[in-house]
């Protein structure tokens, strides 16, 4: 059953693919949970915004502890002090996020708008440099759309802080969930091919 489907893969890759194919239901379930979470995020957009801020805070806290641990393992005093300082700044920033998540959302939303405008500008510049190539217009449209989203966020700031991060989280969960569901269903067709399929 698997030989024809995974013939181009190495033994280890084929074994991992077979294992995933046998557990396609878990992938679909995970995707469905993420998809439902994204849809709920659109319904409760402020809650999704706060959740995204807390997620950023957790990542910063973990990064801070990792920097401190790296600094402790460092042999030289200058590096030790630098890593400890960076880690402490991450931990303090994470603590501020947990204490005042809505204020943190205001700051993060402003940064998001600026980053989107900058990224869109870079993408637009790259699109014009790709002009002799085919489909450079798609890159240009993507860059201009990114700039537009960033401008809309900054024009509506700070009120946009209540919805911008939540929308990004909700869309991300929907995209991830849809991708996992599609992958799981594709693996199901590999694990359980229909009779009569070639």
């Amino acid at each position: 059953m698997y030989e024809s489907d995974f013939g181009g893969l190495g033994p280890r890759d084929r074994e991992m693919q077979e294992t995933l194919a046998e557990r396609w239901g878990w992938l679909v379930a995970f995707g469905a949970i993420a998809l439902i979470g994204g849809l709920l995020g659109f319904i409760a957009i402020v809650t999704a915004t706060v959740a995204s801020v807390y997620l950023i805070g957790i990542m910063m806290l973990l990064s801070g502890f990792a920097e401190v641990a790296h600094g402790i393992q460092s042999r030289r005093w200058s590096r030790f002090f630098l890593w400890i300082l960076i880690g402490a700044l991450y931990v303090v920033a994470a603590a501020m996020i947990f204490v005042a998540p809505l204020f943190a959302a205001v700051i993060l939303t402003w940064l998001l708008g600026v980053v989107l405008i900058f990224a869109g500008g870079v993408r637009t510049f790259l699109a014009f440099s790709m002009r002799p190539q085919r489909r450079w217009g798609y890159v240009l449209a993507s860059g201009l759309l990114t700039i537009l989203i960033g401008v809309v966020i900054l024009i509506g700031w700070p009120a946009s802080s209540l919805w911008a991060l939540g929308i990004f989280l909700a869309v991300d969960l929907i995209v991830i969930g849809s991708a996992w569901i599609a992958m799981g269903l594709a693996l199901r067709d590999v694990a359980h091919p229909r009779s009569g399929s070639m």
Side-chain angles (χ1 to χ4, degrees):
M1 174 172 60
Y2 293 110
E3 192 64 35
S4 61
D5 295 312
F6 305 131
L9 299 175
R12 182 173 296 179
D13 293 333
R14 188 182 298 116
E15 182 181 351
M16 183 175 66
Q17 197 91 339
E18 290 175 3
T19 302
L20 286 174
E22 292 169 357
R23 292 170 173 78
W24 65 270
W26 288 102
L27 298 179
V28 173
F30 178 78
I33 292 172
L35 187 61
I36 292 171
L39 295 174
L40 291 176
F42 275 115
I43 296 173
I45 202 70
V46 177
T47 303
T49 296
V50 174
S52 64
V53 171
Y54 279 134
L55 183 61
I56 293 172
I58 291 172
M59 290 189 297
M60 292 183 70
L61 189 63
L62 294 176
S63 298
F65 287 142
E67 299 283 358
V68 171
H70 185 71
I72 292 173
Q73 293 176 352
S74 180
R75 302 279 180 170
R76 299 175 60 180
W77 169 251
S78 59
R79 291 181 182 175
F80 167 81
F81 179 76
L82 184 61
W83 288 116
I84 294 294
L85 178 62
I86 293 173
L89 289 175
Y90 269 100
V91 172
V92 169
M96 292 174 62
I97 286 176
F98 291 132
V99 170
L102 291 179
F103 176 73
V106 172
I107 304 301
L108 292 172
T109 301
W110 183 84
L111 288 174
L112 175 64
V114 171
V115 168
L116 287 174
I117 292 175
F118 178 76
V122 171
R123 201 173 299 165
T124 302
F125 175 78
L126 290 175
F128 281 111
S129 67
M130 295 168 54
R131 215 165 21 168
Q133 302 178 19
R134 294 179 58 190
R135 299 185 179 179
W136 67 275
Y138 290 108
V139 181
L140 176 63
S142 173
L144 293 176
L145 180 61
T146 303
I147 292 175
L148 178 62
I149 294 173
V151 169
V152 168
I153 288 175
L154 290 184
I155 288 177
W157 188 83
S160 59
S161 307
L162 294 175
W163 54 264
L165 296 176
I167 286 179
F168 268 80
L169 178 62
V171 169
D172 189 49
L173 287 173
I174 289 174
V175 171
I176 290 174
S178 301
W180 279 109
I181 290 173
M183 183 185 299
L185 293 178
L187 289 171
R188 179 198 62 179
D189 294 336
V190 170
H192 307 288
R194 297 174 182 175
S195 58
S197 60
M198 298 299 289

